[in-house]
Amino acid sequence: MSKLGLDPEVVAKARRLAARAAEPVIELARTHTTVSVERAVLRLAGVSGADADGTPWVNRIVDAVRAQVGLEHGIALPVFHALRDHQDPRRLVSARFEVPEGAHAVQAGKRAREAVARGIARIDANRADRDWLLGKHGDPEPPWVYLIVATGDIYEDIPQARAAAREGADVIAVIRSTGQSLLDFVPEGATRQGYAGTYATQENFRLMRAALDEVSGELGRYVRLTNYASGLCMPEIATLAGLERLDMMLNDCMYGIIFRDINPKRTFIDQRFSRQIHARAGIVINTGEDNYLTTADAVDAAHTVIASQLLNERFGHEAGLTDSQLGLGHAFEINPDLPDSFRLELAHAQLVRELFPDAPLKYMPPTKHMTGNIFAGYLLDAFFNLAGVLTGQSIILIGMMTEGIHTPWLSDRDLALENVRYVRRAAGALAEDFHPAPGGFIVERARRVLSETVDLLGRVADDGLLTAIADGTFGVTRRPADRGKGLDGVIEQAPGYYNPATEILEERP
């Protein structure tokens, strides 16, 4: 039963408006492809590795096909037609391509589907392995404690991740190297020189997954692994995550647009394919609404967070994600000097919890108002942890008292883990006792935010989501649909376009 007394009709209206706003963008994604989607198809078909200069073979092949015959018909038919004469995919970069027709097209399509199906079968096997390991080791009770490691060196990340798990972290997030989202290729192999993070590569995924499997057995609880499926290579990184059994991926419908200036069309097309992969792999996505509150006021813009969550929900459902895979994001970012700031935070957090009762919500700690006062910061993080427990959040990304000063040390992480452990233990099932007064401050604030959300979604549905993004509706920043990085990688599908991956992923089990 709703603690906020939300009107079901108002909630239903908000979802209807979100669906109407999302539909033109979904249609865009259904009728277009991108260079990264086509590279992901090749990765599912088993193409891997890079040339002597470090350029992935999938990039070389896609570029060669595009230069000769275009990508309007997809990568699968030209490549698997050419593979009649070139059994080593790496030799394809010098092949002569054509789009086959008739019986040749049927044969190429069959070979392409068989190769891609083997990749999807590996993803299916990884999902079954995860389920088996959860049964063997046990699944920690929520809220799961989520902690970031980010040294830039995968071989330094591994011992930090193991230490964090032993101290109570349930989810290890390996933050990506700064700027990787703007690379239109996925680096190859293990990496040791990232910037404020570690490159997302298939080998780095494999190494960290093996390390966390080992510590899961030691601790008797399954430790989850998170990385980032965003940026110009979103479909490929999602594919590699499925192939290496990652458990969560940062995957937001608008983050790359607003905060990385990636073209909106490119982002939404890539996002749909990546979420189809995540749905099949059983991966929980994490969305990035918390970021809006770092550029916009957390009180004035609260309704934009809810609107984005409802849009993310619709996009996720259309791509096949279940509610249990929608780790919708929000954050504790109201200025602590504001009177009743904690009550406002509780209103927002409880509203999100009630709108998405079956979603594994990801709650982000205070960062915008952290300063050099580490004592105030530690107290603020404790309030955040308490809000998470009171409102039944599913995933709590722990805050660090030194975030306003420098990249936190291991000792800072240890203190942060101690903070959340104390709050969880002391509060226990306090959420059972948390019932805001009917008609009181928290209830009325939540209802007002929901009402503002409905109004906003109505405007977005009428004007178009791409127009709303161009106008700076989310996160203040303006991002027109005809600008931004990666637009030249967007291709409209021609009649006869064939993608064996989407064909398999969209089939009913």
Side-chain angles (χ1 to χ4, degrees), residues 159-282:
Q160 285 201 12
R162 285 173 170 155
R166 291 183 183 115
E167 289 299 311
D170 302 308
V171 182
I172 300 296
V174 184
I175 195 169
R176 258 191 335 196
S177 180
T178 299
Q180 184 177 353
S181 62
L182 302 182
L183 299 180
D184 214 343
F185 68 95
V186 180
E188 187 72 18
T191 63
R192 308 200 68 172
Q193 293 183 326
Y195 302 91
T198 302
Y199 285 102
T201 74
Q202 184 169 7
E203 179 62 6
N204 286 348
F205 288 175
R206 187 192 68 80
L207 289 168
M208 185 60 82
R209 176 70 274 165
L212 294 184
D213 282 349
E214 182 181 333
V215 81
S216 294
E218 171 193 323
L219 298 173
R221 58 181 172 84
Y222 186 73
V223 181
R224 286 174 167 82
L225 174 58
T226 298
N227 212 285
Y228 293 65
S230 60
L232 293 172
C233 292
M234 189 192 306
E236 294 173 86
I237 294 177
T239 296
L240 297 177
L243 292 172
E244 299 300 336
R245 191 170 38 88
L246 272 69
D247 306 289
M248 294 183 187
M249 296 297 283
L250 278 291
N251 185 247
D252 182 74
C253 68
M254 290 186 280
Y255 172 82
I257 299 168
I258 296 168
F259 296 98
R260 294 294 180 265
D261 193 22
I262 296 173
N263 175 260
K265 295 177 182 178
R266 172 73 177 263
T267 299
F268 284 117
I269 298 163
D270 283 347
Q271 170 220 257
R272 182 172 187 263
F273 184 90
S274 69
R275 290 187 174 185
Q276 289 179 315
I277 293 289
H278 289 145
R280 186 67 175 240

Side-chain angles (χ1 to χ4, degrees), residues 4 6 347-348 350-351 441-451:
L4 298 172
L6 300 178
H348 296 175
Q350 185 64 32
L351 174 60
F441 181 93
I442 290 174
V443 167
E444 290 306 308
R445 173 60 186 171
R447 291 178 179 176
R448 176 181 173 184
V449 172
L450 180 57
S451 176

Side-chain angles (χ1 to χ4, degrees), residues 1-8 10-12 15 306 309-310 313 323 328 330 346-361 390-394 431 434-437 442-443 446-447 450:
M1 187 172 63
S2 172
K3 296 181 179 181
L4 298 172
L6 300 178
D7 184 341
V10 175
V11 173
R15 283 196 161 89
I306 307 299
Q309 289 168 334
L310 289 163
E313 178 189 54
D323 285 342
L328 302 170
H330 60 126
L346 290 177
H348 296 175
Q350 185 64 32
L351 174 60
V352 175
R353 179 71 282 171
E354 293 194 11
L355 289 174
F356 308 99
D358 299 316
L361 301 176
L390 271 176
T391 59
Q393 303 301 310
S394 308
F434 174 54
H435 291 276
I442 290 174
V443 167
R447 291 178 179 176
L450 180 57

